[in-house]
Amino acid sequence: MEKHPETMISERGRELRRGVRPLTVTYKGVSKTVEMPGWYPDQSDDDDDAVFTGSDLDVSDAALRELKELVDRIPRPETVRRIREKLGLSQRRASALLGGGPNAFQKYESAEAEPSQAMGILLFLLDRHPELVEEVRLPLAS
């Protein structure tokens, strides 16, 4: 028996329909409410059976990254890219100058990996004071 593409059956046998509902994402006591796509039961007050598939989770993941940037100073992929481009660095050059391994910035910008908090603080510092990138480029004096 085929299911209609606009409905799904939950594990508890409830019929779910495709929709969008508010979802609050909380990280270390800071919250953000997003419009979360997913499969929901008809009764709007009971989202316990909700199912999120595929790209649905991109919405909550993006909200979590925003909160981590705000709370822990761990920059989002688009923030890393913006700062790197502001500094006039390629991904490889940024990795060589600032650390993290040869493909670090490619991974940060594609959300494959999250920069450390220390890297985040360095990037935010360089964002405010891009002239300091010259200090990184110069060999360290002994």
Side-chain angles (χ1 to χ4, degrees):
M1 178 175 147
E2 284 189 42
K3 293 181 185 152
H4 190 280
E6 293 181 12
T7 61
M8 173 187 282
I9 304 299
S10 74
E11 289 182 13
R12 292 192 290 178
R14 293 180 67 190
E15 187 173 276
L16 306 177
R17 295 191 187 283
R18 194 81 181 129
V20 176
R21 294 194 184 163
L23 175 81
T24 301
V25 178
T26 302
Y27 180 73
K28 294 186 176 179
V30 180
S31 298
K32 177 181 175 100
T33 301
V34 296
E35 292 298 312
M36 187 71 181
W39 297 91
Y40 294 95
D42 285 336
Q43 297 165 325
S44 62
D45 61 337
D46 180 15
D47 290 342
D48 288 346
D49 272 346
V51 174
F52 307 110
T53 59
S55 63
D56 295 345
L57 296 173
D58 293 347
V59 174
S60 58
D61 289 348
L64 180 59
R65 283 193 295 272
E66 267 186 62
L67 294 173
K68 283 183 167 185
E69 182 173 280
L70 179 68
V71 173
D72 289 339
R73 307 296 287 163
I74 297 171
R76 297 173 293 155
E78 54 271 24
T79 302
V80 172
R81 179 178 296 111
R82 180 187 58 74
I83 295 170
R84 177 186 58 76
E85 289 175 348
K86 177 179 182 177
L87 298 173
L89 301 172
S90 68
Q91 289 179 336
R92 283 218 179 265
R93 187 73 178 134
S95 294
L97 284 174
L98 305 177
N103 298 315
F105 278 75
Q106 184 275 324
K107 290 178 180 178
Y108 300 155
E109 292 177 23
S110 66
E112 284 181 57
E114 220 173 51
S116 67
Q117 187 176 38
M119 177 64 79
I121 291 168
L122 175 60
L123 287 170
F124 286 119
L125 178 65
L126 290 173
D127 189 30
R128 285 190 190 160
H129 302 283
E131 70 280 3
L132 292 178
V133 80
E134 294 305 319
E135 296 293 322
V136 177
R137 286 185 175 146
L138 297 174
L140 295 174
S142 43

